[in-house]
Amino acid sequence: QETKVIGVSIPAATHGWAGGMNFHAKETVERLEEVYSDLDFVLATASDPGKQVNDIEDMVATRNIDALVVLPFESDPLTPPVQSVADSGAWVTVVDRGLSVEGIKDLYVAGDNSGFGKVSGEFMAQQMPDGGDIVVLRGIPTTIDNERVEGFNAAIEGSGINVLDMEHGNWNRDDSFTVMQDFLSKYPNIDAVWASDDDMAIGVLAAIEAAGRDDVKFVLGGAGMKEMIKRTADGDEMIPANVTYPPSMIATAIELTAVGLTSNAPVSGTFVIGSVLVTQENAMDFYYPDSPF
Amino acid sequence: MTDVTTPQTKSFRMPSMSVLGPIIALIVLLLIGTALNSNFLSAANITNVLARSAFIGIIAVGMTFVITAGGLDLSVGSMAAFIAGLMILVMNAALPSLGVGVPIILLGMFTAIVAGLLAGLLNGFLITALGIEAFIVTLGSMGIYRSLVTWLADGGTLSLDFGLRSFYRPVYFDGILGISWPIIVFALVVIIGEIIMSRSVYGRHCAATGSNEHVAHYSNVNVNRTRLISYAALGILVGIATIMYVPRLGSASASTGVLWELEAIAAVIIGGTVLKGGFGRVWGTVIGVLILSLIGNILNLTDFVSPYLNGAIQGIIIILAVILQRERKTAL
Amino acid sequence: MTDVTTPQTKSFRMPSMSVLGPIIALIVLLLIGTALNSNFLSAANITNVLARSAFIGIIAVGMTFVITAGGLDLSVGSMAAFIAGLMILVMNAALPSLGVGVPIILLGMFTAIVAGLLAGLLNGFLITALGIEAFIVTLGSMGIYRSLVTWLADGGTLSLDFGLRSFYRPVYFDGILGISWPIIVFALVVIIGEIIMSRSVYGRHCAATGSNEHVAHYSNVNVNRTRLISYAALGILVGIATIMYVPRLGSASASTGVLWELEAIAAVIIGGTVLKGGFGRVWGTVIGVLILSLIGNILNLTDFVSPYLNGAIQGIIIILAVILQRERKTAL
Amino acid sequence: MSATPVLALRDVSKSFGSIEVLHGVTLALEPGTVHALIGENGAGKSTTMKIMAGYQLPSKGAVELDGAAVRFDSLHEGEMAGIVMIHQEFNLAEQLTVEQNIFLGRELKRGPLLDKAEMRRRTRDYLDRVACNVSPDALVSRLSNSDKQMVEIAKALSRDARVLIMDEPTAVLTKRETDVLFKLVAALRAAGTAVLFTSHKLDEVAEISDHVTIMRDGAVVQSSPTSEITEDEMATAMVGRDVSDLYPAKPGVERGAPEVLSVENLSVPGFASNVSFSLPQGQILGLGGLIGSGRTEVMEGLAALRPASAERVTLFGEPVRFKRPSDAQQAGLCYLTEDRKLRGLLLERGMRENLTLQNLHKFGGFLIDRNAEETALTEAIGEFDIRAGSRDVRVGNMSGGNQQKLLLAKIMLSEPRILIVDEPTRGIDIGTKQQIYAFLRKLADQGHAIIVITSEMPELIGLADRVMVMRLGEVSGTLNAGEITEDAIVRLSMGLRAEQMPMTA
Ligand SMILES: Nc1ncnc2c1ncn2[C@@H]1O[C@H](COP(=O)(O)OP(=O)(O)OP(=O)(O)O)[C@@H](O)[C@H]1O
Ligand SMILES: Nc1ncnc2c1ncn2[C@@H]1O[C@H](COP(=O)(O)OP(=O)(O)OP(=O)(O)O)[C@@H](O)[C@H]1O
Ligand SMILES: [Mg+2]
Ligand SMILES: [Mg+2]
């Protein structure tokens, strides 16, 4: 029986969420290689879209991949190369970010970035029925970040919530710490913070704690980092909730692709992994102590 | 006293390690690749590696001149991103009036080259006319171009109109006689660069300027102009690289061209050009670029190493490639 | 015979622009900050800015010596990330046996300093004993350390045990007499560095080595040892910076310390140290670090510019700060 | 001649690669004597000295210290043994101060820190001993060549040497500074130090040395007490022919020769102001003055090598304005720098690239014709008698004098009609000097005009048709054919105007 090759191309672990996603990809690949004797995996991580295109080209040219699981660094630049993989007859699974052209992918395991923003915004509005002043930390300037912020803005529209300031914390703890310190210097009263990511939330919390400010009622992160989920579950008032954006969606995609290649079970279509609000009540359902993220 | 008035008969001498080193490193990498994967030497893979080397390669040829003339340019990566963004904006904007066709492509190419030239001239002007350290000027302009492209793209991605992209795509993927355009352009740039560097007046002036600018000045070499031209040429080459880059990915964003500057400089130095200036060789730079591309390619051929460690392998090979070309350490 | 060479009576001279330049740039920034935001000069904000400058600052002091001695180190950012990761791993591993307390903190500090020393020695060894270009060696080790920390963290984040973190936290946030530890340590490093640079034999040897290594060699200066020590000292300082860094957020990941190397080098050059070596000043480096920190701080405190353009503003200010200190361009 | 030599070479040979440059040199230095080593450019004097001081190891033969063979594996060992050398090329770190250079490698400390006050005080002492009044805190890069040389000498003094080796110490010194140096040397001799020095100024050799060793082509050809040999004999032994007519005859420019260059009120900010002079065809104009009087700067300003302004400059009757040095070159005016190491030659490069650097346009508009370059090099080697071990030697490895010849060849390639040469014979042996003087005169006879900046009094007197003297950035006077005497030149350079001195500026 012929060995089939699945190529997995993902962005490198340059921030917390991507790190978690890298972990899950690696772990799933290792596990599936044991399970399926007739499957071979190629895992490549890329630090920029150009490098990711290189990786995909290499997979096609030298590894004869039968399927490609790709989490595009950015949608637009990755569309043509993934399209040519599809044209060559290989199976294509796209994860998280959709491609710019319809009809390329066989399977789409979708994250929902504007949903992520929307859920976050709705939670904010609900937590502050009388409105209030908040600051927002944004991620690395990308389409993902834009979609999240748009979703968020739409959700808080008319709620009386006033966004004092937005600045990029680049999904980075150190950057968000610095930005939050400066926000605290700048604004004598901040009611809440939308940190939009758990890595950034950690930096924000450290800055607030260091400044000894008690005007900030809570910080909303996102993506479901295990430490943050734990604190929500423990009833930490500063972290009343979280919004999921599970990095393990890559595992779903790889696993489904493996199933698709090795069995007759139908796996094509779109599989939306929605962003869910996590509060103290349901937090333990989202707590994976063994995950690195 | 030996008589030196008559040219000595050119006897055959072993090329020095500084010449052989990069070549040996490249051959070793090729052997490793071939051993690891039977498809490594396939036309498709070779084409891929060469074509993708073209961007950095074209830039690195320009960087060779800048470094030889005693300069440095850290801004090329973000300059490329900025030019790509600008080119896309211009082409998208002209689409309604020009329509899909050759003119709009030419407009895009023109934009890229002019933008590159201007960006290079700006760097060169600040460095030569105002006399500021090249490291600082280009670190500054690196931040500026990176910001500008983020701003142009509104934090997201600037994408070429899809119809336009299909029309423009052949510029990256097609070619003549089965050799794709980026490879052809890269080869041309290299050949012209090598000739200029080793046989032209300008190449000599670059080396003299980088070797000792006072001597160059007293030899009536226009030091500032030599430097300025090197930056301007690098800018134009960044523009040309971008012309090849845009049809490949059809978009530009804040993450386009990140770290290209370090890669280009590394390629130049691996190739044997002296970082402090005064000596450069374009063919060496090509080998440096190929070595760097091959490392990435070979790492994708195997599953031996954790992808987390790719960077470490790259680092080690870069250092080894340079150790190879070290002459026996001369006593001070 | 009358003495006709113009006698140089020591009269009071205005300090040159190369001395005044960075100071003026700093003062201008302080004025701008004060004008834009009333909280700018508050104790809290000043403390924030100084404390966060401390990491880069401590590293930049070491970088001043390396650059003065004619070297360069691109690996400091990833070295810091790697050391932070290692320190966290060691402390977490020792927790069951040592428990939360001073010994485990000391163990962590010891780990950081030894790791820094070894990393610095490795860079220095490759550069001096093997005679490889510093740019290449440290570009290589930059990739290596960055990979290693990603690998240690399994792609994610290494976090200090929570209990331990609370215990260690005061090392960043507390201090004596209202001055936090990072600021105190930074100040100490600066004072010692300035004394070594300007008043010690070693400082002179660094300058001589960077100015002309042959002359230094002929004058019985051990050029290689001088360079090696500068890299080792930089490694130790990276270790010290990491000791201050870890208690702040208690974590390390692949994104820790990214671009610190460029920031440190920029600070050194803004401060007036000569990139090609031969002349360095530690106090200038401090001003350079403060300028860089203040730019970020001021941009965060104001809303004038799109955050996308922060990088552009930074770039422009860096260039301006260096233009300021330019002497009237001397004829070649 | 009975004491044991403190330092000696016994049958020393030295090869660089396959080329042997010293062949069995034997030389002994005795305490309390001054030993002169003379020879043509490239004869191997510097190499001999470097081997004695431990800067280089001999390929064959032995270095003997106090009669016992030694092997200095590092410079430090040589210096520990009390041997100090001043190099032909400056050995100072340009970015450091005078004091930092003098104490480099042997800094004084008080506790763990530098004792700057004491070092500065001693530096001033040393500088006083060599009558050099630069500040200890001055950056070396800002010093004139002669000051640098005095700093080198002060640095050597600070080392308390048993053996002091000086490679052409006087090449960049003025008469006055040379006198100071010789007083010092006399004092050292009296104190028992062995001194070895080289010079191409044979009068100096005769004046100060006790013993002369003459080298030719890497071997010692004669060694005898100075009292037993005349200057002429020295020259003949060195060069292998008679060099008594050092200076060519001055033909005297006929009145009414067309004026080729006239300069009115040329000012170089910071260095010189209102310099005016004119130059007829076929004349050699000598430019005298003390070091630091701004001669170099005026001529560099004229050649547009540094910012300068002039009311009017006419060249061959045409008013000109040079924006760049290449404009001047195109118009036929070329300047040869006095500083061959920092401004003249690319030391890392070979002879060919250096030779043609200034005139690459003559070897092809865009691409360079290498064969034409090689031919030009062959011609230059022949014409200027450039002697280097091999044709593709690194210029930095050539002997000082041969570098200077290469520099001359380089400038002559531009075929200047007006040639300004700044200290053209610095470090050149007497035989070659004669050739260079003849060459300059031949150029003048062909109708070129030449300006020679020189600090060598005999050269001014012997070579120039007319002498202009500068002082503190201004022209202090001009001497016509009959008036050129040492006394008149000295008076003008010191600013003492004798009443009857005609002023024809
Ligand atoms: N490092 C070196 N490599 C190759 N050749 C060398 C080196 N050093 C000296 N030479 C050669 O040795 C010969 C003797 O040189 P040296 O400098 O000793 O001459 P010199 O007598 O001092 O001449 P000058 O009067 O011009 O200073 C020259 O031909 C020179 O080119
Ligand atoms: N780059 C420089 N920066 C500052 N001062 C300088 C510089 N170059 C030269 N000088 C100073 O300018 C003065 C004049 O220079 P220089 O000695 O070249 O004059 P000169 O009359 O041509 O003498 P000579 O040609 O005999 O050396 C000197 O005192 C020197 O110290
Ligand atoms: Mg010599
Ligand atoms: Mg002069």
Side-chain angles (χ1 to χ4, degrees):
Chain A
Q1 179 194 4
E2 202 194 333
T3 311
K4 289 192 169 162
V5 185
I6 299 180
V8 180
S9 169
I10 54 176
T14 49
H15 52 89
W17 187 86
M21 188 263 301
N22 268 256
F23 169 83
H24 286 292
K26 215 159 113 11
E27 195 234 30
T28 310
V29 163
E30 277 161 18
R31 190 164 45 76
L32 293 183
E33 278 192 324
E34 306 254 308
V35 176
Y36 298 98
S37 56
D38 53 344
L39 280 189
D40 203 2
F41 288 87
V42 193
L43 175 61
T45 62
S47 45
D48 63 81
K51 166 82 166 60
Q52 192 171 22
V53 175
N54 292 352
D55 290 345
I56 294 173
E57 282 177 356
D58 284 348
M59 288 174 186
V60 173
T62 62
R63 308 296 291 267
N64 302 318
I65 50 169
D66 300 282
L68 172 69
V69 179
V70 56
L71 197 160
F73 214 103
E74 274 162 21
S75 305
D76 286 315
L78 267 301
T79 300
V82 175
Q83 182 157 31
S84 51
V85 175
D87 292 346
S88 76
W91 173 282
V92 170
T93 302
V94 176
V95 192
D96 186 20
R97 296 152 213 177
L99 298 175
S100 317
V101 176
E102 283 305 312
I104 297 176
K105 60 207 176 261
D106 298 282
L107 170 63
Y108 181 27
V109 177
D112 182 3
N113 280 308
S114 52
F116 177 93
K118 180 163 154 282
V119 172
S120 304
E122 282 164 355
F123 176 77
M124 281 276 184
Q126 172 232 319
Q127 266 324 78
M128 299 191 286
D130 307 324
D133 293 327
I134 65 164
V135 291
V136 172
L137 282 99
R138 308 185 52 158
I140 295 171
T142 45
T143 320
I144 307 164
D145 182 62
N146 286 352
E147 285 173 6
R148 290 182 175 183
V149 172
E150 270 164 32
F152 181 82
N153 281 338
I156 60 168
E157 175 103 33
S159 67
I161 290 176
N162 170 34
V163 177
L164 292 170
D165 216 331
M166 286 193 184
E167 201 69 58
H168 290 274
N170 304 324
W171 292 321
N172 178 302
R173 297 178 181 199
D174 295 317
D175 291 356
S176 67
F177 177 84
T178 305
V179 169
M180 191 61 204
Q181 274 197 331
D182 291 344
F183 278 165
L184 290 169
S185 299
K186 191 173 171 186
Y187 301 106
N189 181 67
I190 298 170
D191 293 315
V193 182
W194 185 44
S196 80
D197 174 81
D198 284 337
D199 263 318
M200 290 202 284
I202 286 175
V204 167
L205 287 166
I208 296 172
E209 192 183 345
R213 288 267 291 258
D214 47 18
D215 50 324
V216 185
K217 309 291 181 309
F218 68 94
V219 176
L220 179 62
M225 184 188 292
K226 67 177 181 205
E227 287 91 354
M228 301 299 273
I229 297 276
K230 183 77 177 13
R231 285 169 77 173
T232 304
D234 294 347
D236 188 331
E237 283 186 11
M238 281 301 278
I239 313 155
N242 208 308
V243 180
T244 60
Y245 200 81
S248 51
M249 65 174 74
I250 190 73
T252 315
I254 298 174
E255 196 126 6
L256 284 177
T257 307
V259 170
L261 274 202
T262 52
S263 74
N264 295 323
V267 291
S268 52
T270 296
F271 193 103
V272 181
I273 300 191
S275 287
V276 190
L277 185 70
V278 179
T279 56
Q280 192 180 358
E281 288 74 49
N282 63 354
M284 288 320 281
D285 301 344
F286 296 91
Y287 182 55
Y288 311 108
D290 298 334
S291 156
F293 181 69
Chain B
M1 175 92 16
T2 339
D3 181 39
V4 285
T5 34
T6 44
Q8 283 172 337
T9 39
K10 266 256 161 75
S11 63
F12 177 78
R13 270 187 305 163
M14 252 315 256
S16 67
M17 272 318 279
S18 106
V19 172
L20 287 181
I23 300 176
I24 293 178
L26 183 65
I27 292 175
V28 170
L29 274 181
L30 287 174
L31 292 179
I32 293 177
T34 317
L36 288 176
N37 191 303
S38 54
N39 290 323
F40 177 71
L41 286 183
S42 68
N45 193 49
I46 297 289
T47 300
N48 282 345
V49 172
L50 287 176
R52 77 175 63 135
S53 306
F55 312 133
I56 296 285
I58 291 171
I59 294 174
V61 169
M63 190 70 85
T64 310
F65 284 88
V66 167
I67 291 180
T68 301
L72 191 73
D73 194 337
L74 295 174
S75 71
V76 288
S78 40
M79 195 192 286
F82 171 67
I83 296 175
L86 194 69
M87 198 174 155
I88 290 171
L89 274 184
V90 168
M91 288 169 81
N92 284 349
L95 190 58
S97 51
L98 287 181
V100 175
V102 174
I104 199 165
I105 304 291
L106 291 180
L107 173 70
M109 291 181 171
F110 178 77
T111 309
I113 289 179
V114 170
L117 174 64
L118 292 178
L121 281 175
L122 180 67
N123 277 341
F125 172 77
L126 289 169
I127 292 165
T128 58
L130 297 189
I132 320 172
E133 186 70 74
F135 187 94
I136 286 292
V137 169
T138 58
L139 185 70
S141 55
M142 165 177 161
I144 295 173
Y145 296 128
R146 182 70 59 206
S147 268
L148 284 179
V149 70
T150 317
W151 179 71
L152 286 181
D154 223 350
T157 307
L158 284 165
S159 294
L160 196 58
D161 175 90
F162 210 78
L164 205 49
R165 197 188 308 183
S166 323
F167 185 77
Y168 191 4
R169 234 176 99 81
V171 172
Y172 182 82
F173 291 93
D174 288 2
I176 26 182
L177 300 173
I179 301 171
S180 70
W181 282 115
I183 303 180
I184 295 171
V185 174
F186 182 27
L188 281 177
V189 167
V190 167
I191 291 168
I192 296 173
E194 175 66 33
I195 290 175
I196 293 181
M197 180 63 90
S198 64
R199 323 226 135 237
S200 85
V201 174
Y202 179 71
R204 283 280 174 88
H205 284 182
C206 275
T209 300
S211 177
N212 184 333
E213 59 175 336
H214 298 283
V215 172
H217 177 67
Y218 277 84
S219 303
N220 295 351
V221 172
N222 192 331
V223 171
N224 279 348
R225 199 181 55 194
T226 304
R227 287 233 169 92
L228 186 66
I229 290 176
S230 74
Y231 286 101
L234 177 55
I236 293 177
L237 288 172
V238 171
I240 293 177
T242 312
I243 292 176
M244 303 283 117
Y245 176 85
V246 167
R248 183 175 192 222
L249 300 184
S251 68
S253 72
S255 62
T256 303
V258 168
L259 294 189
W260 280 11
E261 54 281 347
L262 286 188
E263 220 174 313
I265 297 172
V268 171
I269 298 174
I270 291 174
T273 296
V274 177
L275 183 61
K276 292 199 193 292
F279 176 76
R281 54 186 184 206
V282 170
W283 66 263
T285 298
V286 177
I287 294 193
V289 170
L290 292 180
I291 288 178
L292 290 179
S293 290
L294 279 180
I295 298 175
N297 184 247
I298 289 177
L299 285 171
N300 279 340
L301 294 179
T302 61
D303 313 309
F304 289 154
V305 279
S306 155
Y308 299 145
L309 291 178
N310 281 0
I313 308 281
Q314 270 177 20
I316 291 171
I317 295 182
I318 291 175
I319 294 178
L320 286 180
V322 177
I323 288 187
L324 256 187
Q325 65 179 278
R326 205 167 51 92
E327 307 278 321
R328 209 163 12 105
K329 192 163 162 46
T330 47
L332 266 167
Chain C
M1 219 178 236
T2 4
D3 193 3
V4 276
T5 357
T6 24
Q8 272 150 308
T9 39
K10 254 229 153 143
S11 58
F12 176 77
R13 274 185 304 162
M14 259 304 265
S16 67
M17 273 317 280
S18 105
V19 171
L20 287 180
I23 300 176
I24 293 177
L26 183 66
I27 292 174
V28 170
L29 273 182
L30 286 174
L31 292 178
I32 293 177
T34 317
L36 288 178
N37 193 304
S38 54
N39 289 324
F40 178 73
L41 285 182
S42 67
N45 192 50
I46 296 289
T47 300
N48 285 347
V49 171
L50 287 177
R52 72 172 78 131
S53 306
F55 312 135
I56 296 285
I58 292 171
I59 294 173
V61 169
M63 190 70 85
T64 310
F65 284 88
V66 167
I67 292 181
T68 301
L72 191 72
D73 194 337
L74 296 174
S75 71
V76 289
S78 38
M79 196 192 287
F82 171 68
I83 296 176
L86 193 69
M87 197 174 155
I88 290 171
L89 275 184
V90 167
M91 288 169 82
N92 283 349
L95 190 58
S97 50
L98 286 181
V100 175
V102 174
I104 199 165
I105 303 293
L106 291 181
L107 173 70
M109 293 182 170
F110 177 77
T111 309
I113 290 182
V114 170
L117 174 64
L118 292 178
L121 281 176
L122 180 67
N123 276 342
F125 171 78
L126 289 169
I127 293 165
T128 58
L130 297 189
I132 320 172
E133 186 72 74
F135 187 94
I136 285 292
V137 169
T138 57
L139 185 70
S141 55
M142 165 176 161
I144 295 173
Y145 295 128
R146 181 71 57 208
S147 271
L148 284 180
V149 68
T150 317
W151 179 71
L152 285 181
D154 228 347
T157 304
L158 285 163
S159 295
L160 198 59
D161 176 89
F162 203 76
L164 205 48
R165 192 191 311 180
S166 321
F167 186 77
Y168 192 5
R169 231 177 96 81
V171 171
Y172 183 83
F173 292 98
D174 288 3
I176 28 181
L177 300 172
I179 302 171
S180 70
W181 282 115
I183 303 180
I184 295 172
V185 173
F186 182 27
L188 281 177
V189 167
V190 167
I191 292 171
I192 296 173
E194 176 66 32
I195 289 176
I196 293 181
M197 181 63 90
S198 63
R199 323 220 137 240
S200 84
V201 173
Y202 179 71
R204 283 219 178 157
H205 287 187
C206 276
T209 301
S211 175
N212 186 328
E213 58 176 331
H214 298 281
V215 169
H217 179 65
Y218 283 155
S219 304
N220 289 331
V221 173
N222 190 331
V223 171
N224 278 350
R225 200 182 54 194
T226 304
R227 288 232 168 93
L228 185 67
I229 290 176
S230 74
Y231 287 100
L234 176 55
I236 292 176
L237 287 171
V238 172
I240 293 177
T242 311
I243 291 175
M244 303 285 115
Y245 172 82
V246 168
R248 186 165 91 170
L249 297 174
S251 62
S253 70
S255 62
T256 301
V258 169
L259 293 188
W260 281 11
E261 54 281 347
L262 286 187
E263 223 175 310
I265 297 172
V268 170
I269 299 173
I270 292 174
T273 295
V274 176
L275 183 60
K276 293 202 192 291
F279 175 76
R281 53 186 186 207
V282 170
W283 67 262
T285 299
V286 177
I287 294 191
V289 170
L290 292 180
I291 288 177
L292 291 178
S293 291
L294 279 179
I295 298 174
N297 182 245
I298 291 175
L299 285 171
N300 281 340
L301 290 181
T302 56
D303 313 301
F304 289 153
V305 278
S306 154
Y308 297 144
L309 290 179
N310 281 359
I313 308 282
Q314 272 178 17
I316 292 171
I317 295 183
I318 290 175
I319 295 177
L320 287 180
V322 176
I323 289 188
L324 256 186
Q325 63 179 280
R326 205 169 49 92
E327 307 277 323
R328 207 165 12 108
K329 191 162 161 47
T330 49
L332 269 166
Chain D
M1 282 294 212
S2 51
T4 0
V6 52
L7 187 65
L9 293 186
R10 193 79 52 213
D11 240 346
V12 162
S13 299
K14 175 75 183 171
S15 307
F16 294 104
S18 58
I19 297 160
E20 189 176 272
V21 300
L22 292 187
H23 322 290
V25 171
T26 297
L27 187 71
L29 305 184
E30 269 142 46
T33 55
V34 176
H35 197 128
L37 185 60
I38 59 176
E40 282 180 294
N41 296 129
K45 304 180 294 295
S46 299
T47 311
T48 304
M49 292 179 140
K50 284 181 192 162
I51 291 173
M52 293 190 103
Y55 284 76
Q56 283 174 354
L57 286 173
S59 310
K60 267 196 273 181
V63 182
E64 290 175 2
L65 183 69
D66 296 321
V70 285
R71 184 188 153 90
F72 299 126
D73 278 319
S74 76
L75 310 174
H76 192 57
E77 291 171 24
E79 218 177 281
M80 294 298 280
I83 305 163
V84 172
M85 174 165 175
I86 300 174
H87 281 259
Q88 183 170 14
E89 307 299 347
F90 295 119
N91 200 21
L92 298 170
E94 295 269 317
Q95 280 148 303
L96 302 193
T97 65
V98 170
E99 174 242 320
Q100 287 171 337
N101 265 290
I102 284 184
F103 281 93
L104 185 57
R106 352 173 354 268
E107 290 82 359
L108 302 180
K109 290 198 283 189
R110 200 171 48 198
L113 296 185
L114 293 169
D115 190 349
K116 283 198 185 176
E118 177 63 13
M119 286 193 281
R120 203 169 287 146
R121 197 186 61 72
R122 290 207 202 169
T123 301
R124 212 166 273 133
D125 275 359
Y126 295 132
L127 291 173
D128 283 348
R129 278 173 73 186
V130 298
C132 174
N133 64 349
V134 300
S135 154
D137 297 323
L139 286 180
V140 165
S141 60
R142 309 228 148 178
L143 298 185
S144 67
N145 280 340
S146 57
D147 283 338
K148 283 184 191 170
Q149 186 66 45
M150 292 320 265
V151 170
E152 288 265 26
I153 293 165
K155 181 175 175 180
L157 277 183
S158 74
R159 255 79 172 162
D160 290 328
R162 291 173 68 204
V163 179
L164 177 62
I165 301 175
M166 299 186 285
D167 196 352
E168 290 192 39
T170 60
V172 295
L173 298 185
T174 56
K175 187 82 186 88
R176 186 177 62 90
E177 288 163 321
T178 305
D179 290 343
V180 172
L181 174 64
F182 284 177
K183 276 204 199 90
L184 272 171
V185 168
L188 288 172
R189 167 167 55 193
T193 311
V195 178
L196 175 68
F197 83 105
T198 55
S199 173
H200 290 296
K201 302 174 188 173
L202 299 179
D203 53 337
E204 293 177 0
V205 173
E207 178 187 341
I208 188 77
S209 71
D210 304 310
H211 198 94
V212 192
T213 296
I214 302 170
M215 290 184 72
R216 254 182 89 188
D217 294 351
V220 173
V221 291
Q222 190 179 346
S223 188
S224 54
T226 314
S227 50
E228 294 171 11
I229 178 169
T230 67
E231 283 179 42
D232 278 343
E233 285 163 358
M234 290 182 208
T236 311
M238 273 168 64
V239 185
R241 64 182 156 82
D242 181 42
V243 280
S244 49
D245 301 325
L246 192 54
Y247 299 100
K250 300 181 191 176
V253 179
E254 73 266 29
R255 289 209 178 273
E259 187 171 275
V260 290
L261 172 69
S262 104
V263 175
E264 281 172 41
N265 290 329
L266 177 71
S267 295
V268 180
F271 295 100
S273 53
N274 299 323
V275 173
S276 304
F277 64 93
S278 64
L279 193 58
Q281 188 177 10
Q283 189 173 70
I284 297 180
L285 171 68
L287 185 49
L290 296 171
I291 288 188
S293 56
R295 297 166 297 169
T296 295
E297 284 76 10
V298 165
M299 290 305 155
E300 287 180 356
L302 178 61
L305 283 158
R306 60 168 70 231
S309 59
E311 212 173 276
R312 221 171 117 82
V313 178
T314 27
L315 200 64
F316 307 112
E318 303 279 321
V320 287
R321 256 192 103 88
F322 303 136
K323 273 168 74 190
R324 287 176 207 304
S326 47
D327 297 346
Q329 184 180 347
Q330 222 147 38
L333 183 143
C334 277
Y335 166 83
L336 175 106
T337 178
E338 62 182 326
D339 191 340
R340 64 171 170 257
K341 196 178 170 197
L342 291 180
R343 290 172 181 166
L345 297 169
L346 299 172
L347 301 178
E348 300 297 319
R349 294 306 176 115
M351 288 197 280
R352 176 173 53 86
E353 278 171 75
N354 271 289
L355 178 70
T356 57
L357 181 59
Q358 191 159 344
N359 287 286
L360 282 172
H361 55 270
K362 292 194 176 163
F363 296 90
F366 180 70
L367 294 189
I368 299 167
D369 180 351
R370 287 248 180 102
N371 291 332
E373 275 187 290
E374 291 290 352
T375 314
L377 178 58
T378 305
E379 280 169 16
I381 287 173
E383 183 165 7
F384 291 89
D385 191 19
I386 299 171
R387 304 187 192 179
S390 81
R391 206 178 154 92
D392 38 33
V393 62
R394 221 173 54 104
V395 164
N397 284 341
M398 288 167 63
S399 82
N402 281 304
Q403 290 178 6
Q404 186 68 26
K405 291 191 225 166
L406 177 65
L407 189 57
L408 258 175
K410 167 180 165 181
I411 202 90
M412 289 319 299
L413 213 52
S414 354
E415 297 169 350
R417 293 194 286 166
I418 294 175
L419 176 62
I420 306 169
V421 288
D422 199 348
E423 312 285 4
T425 58
R426 194 170 268 176
I428 295 256
D429 70 49
I430 188 154
T432 315
K433 259 186 199 166
Q434 189 190 35
Q435 290 168 4
I436 289 177
Y437 296 143
F439 174 79
L440 290 176
R441 177 55 68 190
K442 193 178 83 194
L443 277 182
D445 290 344
Q446 287 165 2
H448 300 258
I450 295 166
I451 300 175
V452 181
I453 307 176
T454 173
S455 305
E456 313 262 327
M457 193 61 71
E459 206 166 274
L460 270 185
I461 298 168
L463 187 64
D465 298 315
R466 199 158 58 105
V467 170
M468 180 164 85
V469 181
M470 284 186 65
R471 175 180 142 71
L472 298 177
E474 290 180 24
V475 176
S476 58
T478 304
L479 303 167
N480 286 322
E483 308 156 353
I484 306 173
T485 61
E486 176 155 356
D487 185 54
I489 296 170
V490 169
R491 278 174 167 278
L492 284 176
S493 13
M494 309 303 270
L496 311 170
R497 299 171 177 229
E499 297 84 336
Q500 70 270 59
M501 197 168 283
M503 304 305 290
T504 44

